């Protein structure tokens, strides 16, 4: 069995186990908390939590830039689309099983569609990197670690989305390394191993796939 399958499975089990057994209770006003995160209400939720929430929109997009080049059906029994789209709503709970089961020895799709080429382009990679750096700066400059720790301890949603960010960030490093191998690219330079931003730097520098 491929080592990365075990790693993806371990991340999925760890995330699921934390959610079901170790995370705090759901907040009393979950809808209100979701609204505050969505509209970036810093009076109610800490900027660090807001950044985490928004990064969980960036990372699924980065994964789409990798997994949509999988051949999909009928060449493969699994299509990346439902898992990739589902990651925007349930994060690694949906996406990690696909990453564990996908056939990374199969050739990439020889004729990706226009949307796949666009989301997998260098331009898209630079956009994702810029958004991520902006969110990290927002968290660093405006966030209060103590306030975030209190929200983490008191809200299942904040706690689980934070754990999801860690799981997906780790998985994205693995997926980027696999994508590099499948494209026959040389080993990644040191700067592409940076936490979180390394795989985005790879997508920003990856040669565009020609139609």
């Amino acid at each position: 069995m491929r080592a990365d399958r075990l790693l993806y499975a371990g991340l999925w089990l760890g995330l699921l186990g934390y959610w079901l057994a170790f995370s705090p209770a759901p907040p009393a006003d979950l809808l209100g908390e979701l609204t505050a995160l969505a509209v970036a209400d810093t009076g109610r939720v800490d900027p660090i939590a807001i950044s985490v929430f928004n990064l969980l929109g960036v990372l699924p997009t980065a994964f789409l830039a990798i997994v949509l080049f999988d051949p999909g059906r009928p060449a493969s029994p699994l299509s990346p689309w439902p898992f990739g789209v589902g990651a925007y709503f349930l994060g690694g709970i949906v996406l990690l099983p696909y990453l564990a089961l996908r056939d990374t020895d199969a050739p990439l799709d020889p004729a990706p569609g226009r949307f796949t080429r666009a989301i997998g382009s260098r331009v898209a990679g630079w956009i994702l990197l810029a958004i991520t750096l902006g969110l990290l700066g927002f968290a660093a400059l405006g966030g209060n670690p103590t306030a975030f720790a209190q929200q983490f301890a008191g809200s299942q949603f904040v706690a689980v989305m934070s754990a999801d960010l860690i799981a997906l960030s780790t998985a994205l490093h693995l997926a980027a390394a696999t994508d590099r191998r499948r494209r026959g690219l040389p080993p990644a330079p040191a700067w592409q191993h940076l936490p979180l931003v390394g795989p985005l730097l790879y997508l920003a520098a990856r040669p565009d796939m020609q139609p």
Side-chain angles (χ1 to χ4, degrees):
M1 178 179 289
R2 294 195 332 253
D4 63 333
R5 290 187 190 273
L6 296 176
L7 290 170
Y8 289 131
L11 288 170
W12 182 76
L13 289 172
L15 179 60
L16 187 65
Y18 175 74
W19 176 27
L20 296 177
F22 299 104
S23 63
D29 183 13
L30 177 58
L31 181 59
E33 185 174 82
L34 286 171
T35 302
L37 288 166
V39 301
D41 182 0
T42 56
R44 176 161 183 176
V45 287
D46 188 79
I48 298 175
I50 294 170
S51 295
V52 172
F53 179 79
N54 284 279
L55 284 169
L56 289 176
V58 173
L59 291 186
T61 307
F63 275 107
L64 286 181
I66 294 174
V67 302
L68 289 186
F69 287 95
D70 288 353
R73 294 178 177 173
S76 169
L78 293 175
S79 168
W81 279 100
F83 300 94
V85 173
Y88 286 100
F89 303 96
L90 291 173
I93 297 296
V94 169
L95 184 60
L96 288 167
Y98 174 76
L99 295 174
L101 295 173
R102 66 197 282 245
D103 182 6
T104 56
D105 292 323
L108 297 172
D109 186 352
R114 184 176 300 175
F115 176 80
T116 299
R117 295 198 305 273
I119 205 168
S121 68
R122 287 182 176 181
V123 172
W126 280 112
I127 291 172
L128 292 175
L129 179 61
I131 293 172
T132 298
L133 292 175
L135 290 171
L136 292 176
F138 176 65
L141 296 175
N144 182 328
T146 301
F148 174 72
Q150 292 173 347
Q151 291 167 8
F152 183 97
S155 168
Q156 184 183 67
F157 186 80
V158 172
V160 172
M161 77 173 186
S162 301
D164 195 22
L165 179 65
I166 295 172
L168 286 181
S169 298
T170 304
L172 186 59
H173 276 273
L174 297 172
T178 300
D179 187 72
R180 174 179 289 276
R181 172 183 61 79
R182 295 175 78 187
R183 292 171 183 264
L185 299 175
W191 48 270
Q192 288 186 9
H193 294 291
L194 292 170
L196 184 59
V197 299
L200 301 179
L201 286 167
Y202 163 67
L203 292 177
R206 183 179 67 177
D208 289 343
M209 196 165 185
Q210 298 302 315

